[in-house]
Amino acid sequence: MTESPTTPAGTPAGKAGPTAPAPGSASAARRGPVVAALMLCMGLAAIDGTIVSTAVPQIVGDLGGLAVFSWLFSGYLLAVTVTLPVYGKLSDTFGRKPVLIAGVVLFVIGSLLCAAAWSMASLIAFRVVQGLGGGALQGTVQTVAADLYPLKERPKIQARLSSVWAASSVAGPAVGGLLAGYADWRWIFLINLPIGLVALWLVTRHLVEPQRATPREKPRIDWAGALAVFATGALLITALVQGGVAWPWLSAPSLGLLAGAAALGALTVVIERRAAEPIIPGWVWRRRTIAAVNLSLGALGLLMVAPTVFLPTYAQSVLGLGPIAAGFVLSTWTLSWPITAALSNRVYTRIGFRLTAVLGISGALLLLLAFPFLPFPGEPWQPALLMLLLGGTLGLFQLPLIVGVQSTVPYEERGTTTASVLFCRQVGQSVGAALFGAIANGVLAARLGGGADLDTLARALDEPASLTAETMDRLRRAVDAAVDWVYLGAAAAAALALLALLTLAPRRFPVLKEAAGDED
């Protein structure tokens, strides 16, 4: 083991922590149903975005609300992001099981309400309910996975969870399209019910948590901090998601939301510093390892926007592929990511968590820089190969950081730590969508003049009969240039992640003694 073992951090004053067993002490037979439940829970959260996106035309045709349909995704993203820190703290205070059960119940209720929606406004509101459950699922599933397995085995469960995301990204659009086209769009929400109920039964029956000692004081919930975190995140995410879309970036709504988020952020810091049990404890940022991982995975969330949002448009508008073929170009990274994640323990057990992540993000940086050098218009296999390699490098980057940071904290801090990491990644994605959208539209406006934007050009290129060959070529080259600049922006995000690891992260993560012992 190359990491430096330390003794576990002490339990916070006035609070007795759980009597945590050695990770992985449960038998494989006992863990099997729990792992199945975790994969089902992760599947609920993972498939949600992709399955809904393909049914938007049918939903708008039935309910109307074309001007606000983007909030079907923004509302869900907002609820997931701002609740992650809250659920992380609650799982440390009251245990993982009640939080996970609450998340599944909320998600199932939200899905049932979405299926019964009578207007676009009601559907958006019920999507927020779904997101409140999704926030509990995402963070708690990752935390329970770390609780179940010792350090050397965690890549196995993490690779399974990554494979769920990979399968969902491929299957979601196909399933959503089939249900919307041959059944009814409401079924894309109703199919969550049996999956959620099975997951709920497995969690309730098979998830056994460590014995928790009776606390000397009644646990206090930082409701003021939770509300402040929620309000700050709500204003920030709304500003990032809607800026440049619903209103210009320098308009009163954008500036007002950003100013409000900054003011509430300052208030949140004051509240959290005074709270006995803060939702976001100061140690999350004072400890170098956690701070470095938070910043690095925030940069990961930012750079992931480039391929997931802009590559399909590039494949269709520049390469001339259909939607299914364009989706395949993107999906190649979901093949390599879980594989390298599963094999990453063979690397980090020899050279350490930080150096493994440095190798991964350095490779990703080179691949992102290579994208602008692809020939125009090029062949589909070229970006597909880059995506395959990119997924492999990011598997080596993300998983060692998550496993490593979880191994530096005791049981009673693991939920908060995991939630902080996922929260930073989610915020990074929101920032990336806003930033790269502005970059792409700026490049298009500079090349074509006027108020040209990527969505308008993509729709125009879908109707080639109305354009001359010269105009088609000019528009395709403009889209190619815009996506090239987006990938350069993603490369800059990778460089920021690399810088955070090299300057903030210790050479060897301070792995806790019991985790290190599992590895020896």
Side-chain angles (χ1 to χ4, degrees):
M1 179 67 188
T2 61
E3 306 302 323
S4 54
T6 64
T7 56
T11 303
K15 172 180 156 184
T19 305
S25 59
S27 65
R30 190 70 173 271
R31 287 189 307 198
V34 179
V35 171
L38 296 182
M39 294 179 71
L40 289 173
C41 290
M42 186 62 78
L44 285 173
I47 201 171
D48 189 78
T50 55
I51 196 172
V52 173
S53 61
T54 54
V56 166
Q58 289 78 14
I59 294 173
V60 172
D62 188 12
L63 301 180
L66 178 63
V68 295
F69 84 89
S70 63
W71 275 100
L72 290 176
F73 308 98
S74 302
Y76 179 85
L77 172 66
L78 172 63
V80 168
T81 303
V82 300
T83 56
L84 273 168
V86 178
Y87 286 127
K89 181 62 178 179
L90 291 177
S91 74
D92 283 341
T93 304
F94 300 104
R96 327 298 192 210
K97 188 172 183 175
V99 174
L100 191 55
I101 288 174
V104 176
V105 170
L106 274 173
F107 197 93
V108 168
I109 291 175
S111 299
L112 185 60
L113 291 172
C114 286
W118 57 90
S119 65
M120 183 62 75
S122 65
L123 182 57
I124 291 171
F126 298 147
R127 284 280 288 165
V128 172
V129 176
Q130 260 193 323
L132 295 177
L137 295 180
Q138 286 195 27
T140 313
V141 164
Q142 296 279 5
T143 306
V144 173
D147 293 340
L148 283 177
Y149 285 84
L151 180 57
K152 64 182 178 182
E153 294 184 31
R154 282 179 196 156
K156 296 178 183 178
I157 180 62
Q158 292 289 354
R160 292 181 188 179
L161 297 177
S162 296
S163 69
V164 170
W165 279 100
S168 299
S169 66
V170 176
V175 173
L178 287 173
L179 290 175
Y182 296 98
D184 187 272
W185 63 264
R186 298 178 190 273
W187 280 99
I188 66 177
F189 299 107
L190 290 175
I191 64 170
N192 291 333
L193 271 61
I195 299 173
L197 292 175
V198 172
L200 184 62
W201 179 77
L202 289 172
V203 170
T204 304
R205 183 177 177 85
H206 295 285
L207 179 57
V208 179
E209 294 197 89
Q211 182 69 35
R212 299 182 68 86
T214 303
R216 291 187 290 272
E217 294 181 7
K218 183 179 179 180
R220 287 178 288 180
I221 301 175
D222 179 22
W223 292 117
L227 180 61
V229 170
F230 192 94
T232 302
L235 290 185
L236 176 61
I237 301 300
T238 301
L240 294 174
V241 169
Q242 295 298 104
V245 179
W247 47 69
W249 277 110
L250 296 180
S251 65
S254 279
L255 296 177
L257 286 169
L258 290 173
L264 282 175
L267 178 62
T268 301
V269 172
V270 173
I271 293 173
E272 294 297 84
R273 292 185 68 177
R274 295 180 177 178
E277 294 290 340
I279 293 294
I280 303 180
W283 54 259
V284 167
W285 292 104
R286 287 195 299 267
R287 297 181 192 175
R288 287 179 56 198
T289 305
I290 302 176
V293 173
N294 282 343
L295 292 174
S296 297
L297 291 189
L300 172 66
L302 198 155
L303 74 85
M304 285 176 62
V305 171
T308 54
V309 175
F310 294 92
L311 187 61
T313 300
Y314 171 88
Q316 294 181 68
S317 300
V318 177
L319 302 181
L321 302 178
I324 296 177
F328 176 76
V329 171
L330 173 62
S331 68
T332 54
W333 77 339
T334 65
L335 303 176
S336 55
W337 193 317
I339 294 174
T340 55
L343 298 176
S344 64
N345 67 323
R346 300 185 181 183
V347 182
Y348 67 65
T349 53
R350 290 173 172 79
I351 65 175
F353 292 117
R354 189 185 79 153
L355 186 52
T356 303
V358 165
L359 290 176
I361 198 63
S362 298
L365 173 59
L366 294 176
L367 291 167
L368 292 167
L369 288 173
F371 187 90
F373 292 97
L374 292 179
F376 176 88
E379 298 293 333
W381 67 265
Q382 294 166 334
L385 177 60
L386 277 183
M387 290 303 299
L388 184 69
L389 297 174
L390 182 63
T393 60
L394 294 180
L396 276 180
F397 169 67
Q398 177 181 254
L399 187 62
L401 291 182
I402 292 178
V403 171
V405 78
Q406 288 177 331
S407 302
T408 66
V409 294
Y411 177 93
E412 62 271 13
E413 295 178 352
R414 192 175 291 149
T416 298
T417 301
T418 303
S420 73
V421 168
L422 298 179
F423 175 75
C424 289
R425 190 180 66 184
Q426 290 284 108
V427 172
Q429 288 179 307
S430 300
V431 172
L435 177 62
F436 293 153
I439 289 174
N441 291 334
V443 172
L444 292 176
R447 284 182 166 257
L448 302 175
D453 62 76
L454 198 59
D455 290 338
T456 303
L457 260 65
R459 287 193 293 269
L461 290 168
D462 280 340
E463 301 174 359
S466 62
L467 302 172
T468 65
E470 182 180 353
T471 302
M472 280 279 292
D473 183 71
R474 182 165 171 258
L475 296 182
R476 290 172 69 193
R477 288 184 180 277
V479 172
D480 178 64
V483 177
D484 284 348
W485 277 100
V486 166
Y487 267 78
L488 288 176
L496 288 176
L498 179 60
L499 182 64
L501 288 176
L502 294 177
T503 58
L504 289 179
R507 284 186 60 247
R508 296 185 177 183
F509 281 22
V511 174
L512 293 189
K513 197 169 185 178
E514 64 266 30
D518 287 326
E519 182 62 22
D520 291 339

